[in-house]
Amino acid sequence: MQSSPTEPFPWFGMDIGGTLAKLVYFEPLDISTEEKETEVDTLKTIRKYLTGNVAYGKTGIRDVHLEMTNQRLMGRTGSLHFIRFPTSEMMAFIELAKAKNFPSLASNICATGGGAYKFEQDFKLHVNLDLKKFDELDCLIKGIHYIDRNNISSECYYFKNPNEPEACEKLPFDFRDPYPYMVVNIGSGVSMLAVYSQDNYQRISGTSLGGGTFLGLCTLLTGCDTFEEAIELASQGDSKNVDKSVKDIYGGDYNKFDLPGKVVASSFGHMISKEKRESVSKADIAKATLVTITNNIASIARMCAVNQGIERVVFVGNFLRVNTISMKHIAHAMDYWSTGNLKALFLEHEGYFGAMGCLLELLKTGPP
Ligand SMILES: Nc1ncnc2c1ncn2[C@@H]1O[C@H](COP(=O)(O)OP(=O)(O)OP(=O)(O)O)[C@@H](O)[C@H]1O
Ligand SMILES: CC(C)(CO)[C@@H](O)C(=O)NCCC(=O)O
């Protein structure tokens, strides 16, 4: 027998970030006949709309490959769905919620991320909803913990031989006993956290050179329009045409301090030459932008991990979406510069942990 939920449906967690808004929706699949008969139309409409589509409006997308089935939450069994749309469309989302009559449901709306604060007044003004706000980094840690424990296929993975295209392998990593570990959340900007236990963590550092910087610079420099386009362009480019290497400066290795010739000495360093600027392609520039941002994040992460005496570093955030180039670069850089002492780990649900943690907070909260 199922226990009756303390929190009325629908169950959502929302993470409104600087670039993307993420939504985790729990679809109950153990609805009794009695519940079906009494389920209000609005609830049914929302459930059917979200689970019956993979795209919403022009820009909303459900990441079907990330769906988690057979989840048990608060005594109910169902599926977790993962949906994202650009934060720039937030007002359209609020209008959609209005059109679907969402505010008529006596439910809490929980949100995290900067947008929970930024859009609070809009929710109140346009749909008369009070947002319950939760901290984005608390939610991130809670979400990582839940998804890693409850994903039946392996959530956590690493790259073996990340720098050898032929021999590189993506392998599962057993993250059951993870503490202490570091989280590097690469969103628009980057936050770095040291996690000591399930409810003990600190934000130890951050950098404004993040996913937003990559996309911003790449669109400026190459004229591309979307993140997917920028990554595709980068995959065809060669950053050596843009960056100056140790070899370009030394004519070979810098032996005294163990700097091999192929290491980047100066990101974008070749671009001071008119001749090089004229011969470089857009793809080369996209790749160099990606590598510059990625290496900088890996470098700061490595210094933080060494400072904290932590060996495992988990990289998350939507910057890593469809971006194996950066993941392999990070894996190689962490391994190489720490002489094998640090391990870069990755999680399948990349950018959804904040929204997942937010859903868990909603269920903890119960009715007002
Ligand atoms: N479809 C997409 N549109 C825009 N950016 C994308 C997309 N897919 C991946 N990205 C990358 O993901 C980044 C945003 O990641 P994420 O959603 O984790 O952060 P955010 O929550 O928006 O930012 P922050 O946490 O700094 O507020 C973008 O800056 C971009 O590099
Ligand atoms: C401001 C946040 C936390 C919003 O998610 C993120 O974009 C970030 O950590 N930016 C980097 C800020 C810093 O320089 O530490």
Side-chain angles (χ1 to χ4, degrees):
M1 226 184 84
Q2 78 204 12
S3 55
S4 64
T6 50
E7 175 66 31
F9 289 127
W11 293 353
F12 283 107
M14 188 162 51
D15 174 7
I16 313 171
T19 308
L20 293 174
K22 282 78 62 180
L23 210 68
V24 176
Y25 168 64
F26 178 82
E27 175 197 11
L29 287 167
D30 56 356
I31 307 177
S32 63
T33 324
E34 187 198 335
E35 257 185 311
K36 266 199 186 120
E37 277 162 9
T38 53
E39 188 182 30
V40 291
D41 283 347
T42 308
L43 202 53
K44 206 178 295 169
T45 310
I46 290 172
R47 184 157 53 82
K48 294 251 159 79
Y49 176 69
L50 290 178
T51 60
N53 293 296
V54 293
Y56 313 92
K58 285 203 181 84
T59 52
I61 286 171
R62 178 153 63 92
D63 282 311
V64 181
H65 66 289
L66 295 180
E67 181 176 335
M68 289 168 74
T69 55
N70 211 15
Q71 295 298 304
R72 198 132 175 89
L73 275 176
M74 304 283 286
R76 302 298 305 250
T77 305
S79 292
L80 288 168
H81 298 277
F82 298 87
I83 296 163
R84 63 184 151 87
F85 58 90
T87 302
S88 54
E89 296 296 315
M90 203 59 214
M91 291 315 293
F93 172 81
I94 292 174
E95 285 308 318
L96 180 73
K98 196 174 179 178
K100 299 276 171 209
N101 208 14
F102 191 88
S104 74
L105 297 169
S107 74
N108 292 322
I109 280 265
C110 286
T112 187
Y117 296 80
K118 188 175 166 189
F119 294 101
E120 189 178 12
Q121 284 307 312
D122 294 306
F123 274 92
K124 185 74 195 158
L125 221 66
H126 296 278
V127 278
N128 198 28
L129 280 173
D130 289 311
L131 283 192
K132 273 183 179 283
K133 305 187 288 303
F134 294 99
D135 178 77
E136 62 172 301
L137 300 180
D138 289 353
C139 288
L140 176 74
I141 301 296
K142 290 200 165 83
I144 289 178
H145 191 258
Y146 177 89
I147 293 184
D148 182 66
R149 293 295 180 286
N150 291 283
N151 188 352
I152 42 164
S153 36
S154 178
E155 177 69 23
C156 187
Y157 62 94
Y158 70 102
F159 289 96
K160 190 176 167 191
N161 306 317
N163 206 28
E164 298 165 43
E166 303 295 306
C168 180
E169 276 181 273
K170 177 183 167 181
L171 294 172
F173 184 85
D174 185 347
F175 202 53
R176 269 174 302 184
D177 181 21
Y179 306 109
Y181 67 95
M182 241 177 78
V183 180
V184 178
N185 185 29
I186 318 178
S188 317
V190 186
S191 282
M192 303 196 184
L193 322 173
V195 189
Y196 307 106
S197 71
Q198 202 179 327
D199 26 46
N200 180 15
Y201 78 89
Q202 280 182 338
R203 185 180 188 274
I204 47 175
S205 193
T207 169
S208 62
L209 304 186
T213 320
F214 162 66
L215 194 49
L217 285 178
C218 208
T219 48
L220 265 179
L221 295 171
T222 71
C224 71
D225 251 351
T226 64
F227 180 76
E228 288 76 5
E229 223 183 290
I231 294 292
E232 176 56 30
L233 198 57
S235 73
Q236 295 160 18
D238 184 351
S239 51
K240 288 198 288 299
N241 297 331
V242 178
D243 297 336
K244 204 169 256 186
S245 67
V246 169
K247 185 163 183 254
D248 292 323
I249 298 172
Y250 269 74
D253 302 338
Y254 179 14
N255 285 318
K256 183 172 176 186
F257 291 105
D258 271 344
L259 279 177
K262 63 175 189 240
V263 161
V264 177
S266 169
S267 299
F268 280 78
H270 276 323
M271 296 297 91
I272 59 168
S273 144
K274 186 163 187 278
E275 197 189 332
K276 288 246 163 41
R277 278 201 301 277
E278 279 164 3
S279 68
V280 85
S281 72
K282 285 187 175 181
D284 294 340
I285 294 174
K287 179 72 175 283
T289 311
L290 190 62
V291 170
T292 299
I293 297 299
T294 302
N295 282 348
N296 188 57
I297 294 168
S299 174
I300 298 170
R302 184 179 55 85
M303 286 188 283
C304 289
V306 169
N307 257 337
Q308 298 289 317
I310 291 178
E311 287 171 5
R312 281 161 299 200
V313 186
V314 183
F315 292 84
V316 295
N318 276 319
F319 172 66
L320 299 176
R321 240 195 87 238
V322 296
N323 185 4
T324 36
I325 300 177
S326 287
M327 288 194 271
K328 288 180 185 176
H329 262 275
I330 288 171
H332 173 65
M334 295 292 284
D335 181 68
Y336 181 84
W337 293 110
S338 73
T339 52
N341 289 321
L342 296 177
K343 194 159 200 75
L345 301 171
F346 304 94
L347 299 175
E348 298 287 354
H349 284 78
E350 287 148 356
Y352 282 110
F353 299 104
M356 182 67 227
C358 184
L359 170 61
L360 296 172
E361 291 288 7
L362 161 80
L363 300 182
K364 210 169 74 182
T365 303

